[in-house]
Amino acid sequence: TKPLPLNPGTTNLEFKYSHTFQDTTFSPPLIRDTIVTHNLKVTRSPTGTIGQGYTKTCREQYGLSLFSGVTELTKVIASQINLEARLTPTPGGPCDNCTVEAKPSAGPDREVLPLVSAGPYLSAPFPRSENLNPLPNDGILQHSASDSIVLVWTNPENPLDFVRKAYPYEPLPASLELFAGNTRIDAITSDHRELEARLTLASGVICNDCKVQVTTKFGTDKETIALKPSGLTHNGGFIRVGSNTPIPGDGIIQHLSPDSIILVWTNPVNNTEVIRKSYPFTYIAPTLALFSGGKELDTVTAGHKVLEARLTLPSGEICNDCVEVLLSGSTDRENLSMTRSGPYYSDTFKREVGLNPTMDNGILEHRADDSIILIYRNPLVPSQEIRRSYPYIHFENIVNVTPHNTVAEPTPGNVTGPQWIISGAPMNNIPGFTNTGPCCSVQPTPFNSQNPDSIKMVGLILEASREFRAEVKIFSNLGEFVNQINFTVPKSEFLNLSPVKDSESRTLRLLWTGLTSKGTLAGTGAYIIKSRVTLLPIPGITQGPPPVESVRKIGLMRSGSN
């Protein structure tokens, strides 16, 4: 009445036939019983064939299937948490106290589920979850993401009669994203200081002890950020700053400017499921500019005596001695102490043309053929720099010679004292007076129109835009030599001359006291004053402007016998 199990190899069967008959050769007939024994050897073989005289019959195998709700499955996905095994017996097939076993294809969990009649089939509902530490026989099938889900039904009357069905598991991929504020970002900029990692899992998937590792592409910092459930996602915030001295584990990811920031999530249930997202750091380049008098420059001229470097940095970055001024050809270098002034860092420095610079004295001394160069070096990444070059154009070639009186009334009988007076340079020490005899003096008192003594002398007002050499000669109306003076105003002394308003030039007054080069009085009459003013060469410019020459008539009017 029951299926007969066969051994894996050979099964010996013994058939006994008994029959009863009447032996009518006797009177009365005798009743005889006979037993006939027949031995049959059955061998199980995958390649065996049915012998002659034998036939086979096969009944239909029980039906085994897996459902989620009313949907029959061919695979299981992450959102399908509650499953149902269904067994459909063949008509008249036995299944008293039937069970079905649910297990992972490779995991250790085993769940033996009772089958309950549900009309045309028997049903065994069970929940499913991902878990690397299952508890067998707790009614919950727990497996890893790489497992298939396997159902096995075994005929309780014949263990060799079973049905096995496997269903591949297809986890929905988790998503890992980075947010700044409530905005999802694909790249990080310097303005992104507070960041948040958001992990989205399939519906019903639980992530216990969820964490994200935050690292950088080139740096050494590494931060572990705990993720907490928040609605449909698991979130964890952290701070990003620029630094070349990170402290791993302080919750602040510190990196250099070219670094990418990398997020890595490893499924704690299945460590083969890893999401790695890399976010490039979009470096907002600083801006470096040169100003003079509040106006941005693209060229430096002689009129720009004081310059200002301005550096604009991305939010959160600082500048400590990060800007240097140097020259394209000369040796002077000036390190600027940049300080924040509103939206930018700035510092000022002076500029002048010269050949003997002193480094780091706040004055950039250069040749006229130099360009002025600003360099910003990122203190976090010294190899990163911004370089701005500004050509220098020297147009400062101003020379003017105007008369100081055309007729003078010298003091009567004055035959002593200097032959020439320099006025308008109170602190000057003019070298190079080459005329013989009593010569010259530098008077602190200006002999301008407001000075009553100015009418006693005749002379010239010399105006120049830089250091110069002056050669002045006086002749009589008949062309006879009377006096002369030659002198040079070097750069050190030029800066002490009186500045001209709204100009880059300075002046001095060269006054003739009416004495000849021999110290005698020049008589009343007309004279000729001839001047030649030459601007000194500019370092870096081999040829300067031509000398400025002038010839003017002057007169002396002496009172009395003089």
Side-chain angles (χ1 to χ4, degrees):
T1 60
K2 296 181 180 181
L4 181 65
L6 297 177
N7 295 328
T10 299
T11 302
N12 293 315
L13 302 178
E14 183 181 76
F15 293 90
K16 291 184 178 182
Y17 303 93
S18 65
H19 62 272
T20 302
F21 63 93
Q22 289 182 346
D23 188 354
T24 59
T25 60
F26 293 90
S27 183
L30 297 177
I31 302 301
R32 297 184 183 275
D33 292 325
T34 302
I35 296 177
V36 180
T37 300
H38 175 72
N39 291 317
L40 177 64
K41 181 185 292 185
V42 179
T43 301
R44 289 178 58 187
S45 171
T47 59
T49 57
I50 301 298
Q52 186 177 0
Y54 294 96
T55 60
K56 71 173 182 179
T57 61
C58 295
R59 63 173 176 80
E60 291 297 326
Q61 196 174 40
Y62 283 19
L64 186 60
S65 55
L66 185 64
F67 279 75
S68 175
V70 297
T71 303
E72 185 173 0
L73 305 179
T74 57
K75 64 181 180 181
V76 179
I77 62 175
S79 60
Q80 293 166 338
I81 304 300
N82 295 307
L83 303 175
E84 178 191 14
R86 293 185 182 181
L87 179 70
T88 304
T90 57
C95 200
D96 296 331
N97 299 319
C98 268
T99 60
V100 65
E101 182 183 41
K103 61 182 179 180
S105 58
D109 198 12
R110 296 291 184 272
E111 301 298 328
V112 179
L113 309 171
L115 287 163
V116 178
S117 176
Y121 58 85
L122 296 110
S123 172
F126 64 97
R128 176 206 62 78
S129 69
E130 289 187 54
N131 193 338
L132 292 180
N133 300 296
L135 182 62
N137 292 317
D138 63 351
I140 303 173
L141 181 65
Q142 299 160 87
H143 62 96
S144 70
S146 59
D147 279 329
S148 293
I149 294 174
V150 179
L151 299 181
V152 179
W153 171 78
T154 302
N155 190 333
E157 297 180 354
N158 179 10
L160 297 179
D161 182 17
F162 63 89
V163 181
R164 183 183 186 276
K165 299 289 288 289
Y167 298 86
Y169 177 67
E170 187 176 284
L172 293 178
S175 65
L176 183 62
E177 295 176 316
L178 189 63
F179 281 74
N182 286 319
T183 303
R184 187 182 67 84
I185 59 175
D186 296 316
I188 299 172
T189 70
S190 298
D191 293 326
H192 294 147
R193 185 174 185 272
E194 296 183 1
L195 299 171
E196 182 183 42
R198 294 186 184 180
L199 174 69
T200 303
L201 300 174
S203 176
V205 175
I206 299 174
C207 184
N208 295 320
D209 195 27
C210 255
K211 298 175 182 177
V212 165
Q213 297 289 335
V214 184
T215 59
T216 62
K217 183 176 181 180
F218 301 114
T220 60
D221 202 4
K222 184 175 183 179
E223 304 297 330
T224 300
I225 308 302
L227 301 179
K228 297 181 179 180
S230 177
L232 299 177
T233 61
H234 291 71
N235 305 341
F238 60 96
I239 295 175
R240 181 212 62 80
V241 298
S243 174
N244 58 358
T245 56
I247 303 175
D250 63 354
I252 303 174
I253 191 71
Q254 300 165 79
H255 64 103
L256 303 178
S257 291
D259 265 345
S260 295
I261 293 179
I262 300 169
L263 304 184
V264 179
W265 173 74
T266 302
N267 190 337
V269 177
N270 174 22
N271 56 15
T272 63
E273 183 183 3
V274 178
I275 300 177
R276 184 181 188 275
K277 298 290 288 291
S278 180
Y279 295 86
F281 180 71
T282 303
Y283 185 61
I284 301 176
T287 59
L288 186 60
L290 191 63
F291 284 74
S292 179
K295 296 182 179 180
E296 186 173 358
L297 305 179
D298 55 14
T299 301
V300 179
T301 69
H304 300 135
K305 302 295 185 181
V306 178
L307 299 173
E308 177 190 14
R310 292 186 184 180
L311 173 68
T312 303
L313 292 177
S315 175
E317 295 198 10
I318 60 175
C319 174
N320 293 323
D321 298 325
C322 65
V323 175
E324 181 183 30
V325 185
L326 49 86
L327 302 167
S328 59
S330 300
T331 59
D332 199 8
R333 288 173 178 259
E334 302 295 328
N335 289 301
L336 303 184
S337 300
M338 306 293 285
T339 57
R340 182 171 286 280
S341 176
Y344 54 82
Y345 287 83
S346 69
D347 192 15
T348 59
F349 60 97
K350 295 181 180 178
R351 179 213 59 76
E352 62 184 38
V353 177
L355 287 177
N356 300 300
T358 301
M359 294 189 183
D360 281 330
N361 66 343
I363 302 174
L364 185 70
E365 191 170 351
H366 63 95
R367 293 161 50 99
D369 55 350
D370 281 327
S371 291
I372 295 174
I373 299 169
L374 298 181
I375 294 180
Y376 159 76
R377 293 185 178 89
N378 189 333
L380 303 178
V381 189
S383 61
Q384 285 189 317
E385 67 179 36
I386 295 176
R387 183 184 181 96
R388 294 290 304 274
S389 180
Y390 298 86
Y392 176 75
I393 298 177
H394 195 98
F395 62 84
E396 203 174 39
N397 295 322
I398 300 173
V399 177
N400 289 313
V401 179
T402 55
H404 171 88
N405 294 336
T406 55
V407 178
E409 298 180 12
T411 301
N414 182 13
V415 294
T416 61
Q419 301 171 9
W420 298 88
I421 293 176
I422 290 178
S423 169
M427 301 300 293
N428 251 305
N429 181 19
I430 305 296
F433 289 28
T434 59
N435 55 312
T436 60
C439 171
C440 317
S441 70
V442 177
Q443 296 293 332
T445 303
F447 284 88
N448 52 30
S449 59
Q450 299 177 5
N451 188 330
D453 290 335
S454 67
I455 63 173
K456 298 178 181 180
M457 286 167 281
V458 69
L460 299 172
I461 301 173
L462 304 182
E463 177 185 355
S465 56
R466 65 173 184 273
E467 52 268 38
F468 63 93
R469 177 171 176 76
E471 302 168 73
V472 180
K473 294 181 180 180
I474 295 182
F475 298 90
S476 70
N477 194 36
L478 299 176
E480 297 175 341
F481 173 77
V482 177
N483 207 332
Q484 72 174 7
I485 184 172
N486 302 314
F487 62 92
T488 298
V489 179
K491 182 177 181 179
S492 59
E493 301 299 329
F494 178 80
L495 297 177
N496 293 324
L497 301 184
S498 299
V500 177
K501 184 179 180 181
D502 299 326
S503 176
E504 298 297 325
S505 59
R506 295 174 180 267
T507 65
L508 62 77
R509 292 175 187 263
L510 179 63
L511 307 177
W512 180 44
T513 60
L515 299 177
T516 68
S517 61
K518 297 179 180 180
T520 60
L521 295 175
T524 298
Y527 293 86
I528 296 173
I529 183 168
K530 184 176 182 181
S531 65
R532 178 186 177 95
V533 179
T534 305
L535 295 176
L536 297 185
I538 303 170
I541 297 180
T542 57
Q543 185 174 0
V548 174
E549 298 180 345
S550 69
V551 178
R552 287 183 171 83
K553 289 184 179 180
I554 57 175
L556 294 180
M557 294 183 61
R558 294 190 179 275
S559 60
S561 60
N562 294 326

